[in-house]
Amino acid sequence: MKIALMDSGIGLLAAAAAVRRLRPDAELLLSNDPDGMPWGPRTPEDLTGRALAVARAAADQGPDALIVACNTASVHALPALRAALEPAVPVIGTVPAIKPAAAAGGKVAIWATPATTGSPYQRGLIREFAAGAEVTEVPCPGLADAVEHADPEAIDRAVTAAAALTPPDVRALVLGCTHYELVEDRILAALTPRRRPGLPPLVFHGSAGAVAAQALRRVGAGPDPAAAPTGTLSVLLSGRPGPLPAAALAYADGRLLAAAPAPTL
């Protein structure tokens, strides 16, 4: 079983690590786009072109499924990716976990990129899945870029700024960018001192676990965390075989993936 994941950069690490934990025997292929990143500032048409190139490079390697581990690419390019690759390769997009976050009630905050915050796309998800909840949209300028470059000082500055905009009594926090899941510990450290006394622990809602489970369902495989850890790891950098980016090793999920062997040629 081979699962491919795509993103402009290392935002795909959390979903890839989630697949690895569910199926240690799965082959993983990470396809990102260092030549074209970041995708966020691009026009939807330009972004779709870059995403198609990255997806086709992955599809050429014969995966059983492709996870689009990027919220921005899922918003703008998912229909084009599915039209190009399905049904031969199932394509799984990434949607902010607003529905499960709102289902338990209470106040919810959504951390997302400035382009996504307040966008018709995100507002539509809030109307559809969180109409009865009190939702605060929190823009996080610079956070995804800081995570991408594993810059701890820039990460802390961005996280601190976003924490200041987050109500102190939120019950749940939706991480609306795949990069943010790599720094949950830093986000929690920034929010905890600001929370009102007596509140239950803050609940994070990322997308990695859900998209990993959905990918396995699409290929007809169930989770098997006890499977032999035989799964390999290969990486495409704008279509070229290469190593896992060095910045990935700054994160626990990246180090987990780096421990896998390269495929035998």
Side-chain angles (χ1 to χ4, degrees):
M1 176 173 51
K2 179 185 288 188
I3 305 294
L5 301 97
M6 60 171 283
D7 184 21
S8 61
I10 63 172
L12 47 64
L13 292 178
V19 176
R20 173 67 77 226
R21 294 185 184 100
L22 290 174
R23 289 299 299 246
D25 57 340
E27 297 178 50
L28 296 180
L29 169 64
L30 312 185
S31 184
N32 57 27
D33 188 27
D35 293 355
M37 65 176 299
W39 284 351
R42 293 180 177 273
T43 65
E45 295 77 16
D46 192 16
L47 186 154
T48 297
R50 301 297 310 188
L52 280 168
V54 168
R56 287 181 172 130
D60 287 345
Q61 303 300 311
D64 297 296
L66 172 67
I67 294 173
V68 185
C70 173
N71 295 89
T72 302
S74 296
V75 170
H76 296 295
L78 195 57
L81 294 172
R82 285 178 168 157
L85 300 182
E86 291 187 336
V89 180
V91 178
I92 297 92
T94 299
V95 177
I98 295 172
K99 183 177 181 179
K107 294 184 178 181
V108 176
I110 305 171
W111 283 27
T113 63
T116 299
T117 301
S119 67
Y121 165 74
Q122 183 161 289
R123 292 284 169 85
L125 292 175
I126 293 170
R127 284 194 303 271
E128 183 175 1
F129 298 121
E134 184 175 338
V135 178
T136 300
E137 297 178 89
V138 179
C140 304
L143 181 54
D145 188 60
V147 173
E148 179 67 33
H149 293 94
D151 183 335
E153 293 183 357
I155 291 169
D156 286 343
R157 285 195 300 270
V159 166
T160 298
L165 300 176
T166 303
D169 55 348
V170 295
R171 180 196 58 78
L173 179 65
V174 177
L175 301 177
C177 172
T178 55
H179 281 76
Y180 301 171
E181 296 186 54
L182 298 174
V183 290
E184 282 189 18
D185 56 340
R186 291 175 180 267
I187 295 172
L188 183 62
L191 288 174
T192 298
R194 301 178 54 83
R195 289 178 61 73
R196 292 179 181 170
L199 290 174
L202 184 66
V203 179
F204 284 91
H205 290 270
S207 302
V211 297
Q214 176 66 0
L216 293 180
R217 283 193 292 268
R218 291 292 299 273
V219 302
D224 186 5
T230 56
T232 59
L233 178 75
S234 50
V235 179
L236 295 174
L237 305 173
S238 298
R240 306 177 300 272
L244 192 67
L249 301 180
Y251 305 104
D253 286 345
R255 294 190 292 272
L256 171 67
L257 296 169
T264 302
L265 299 179

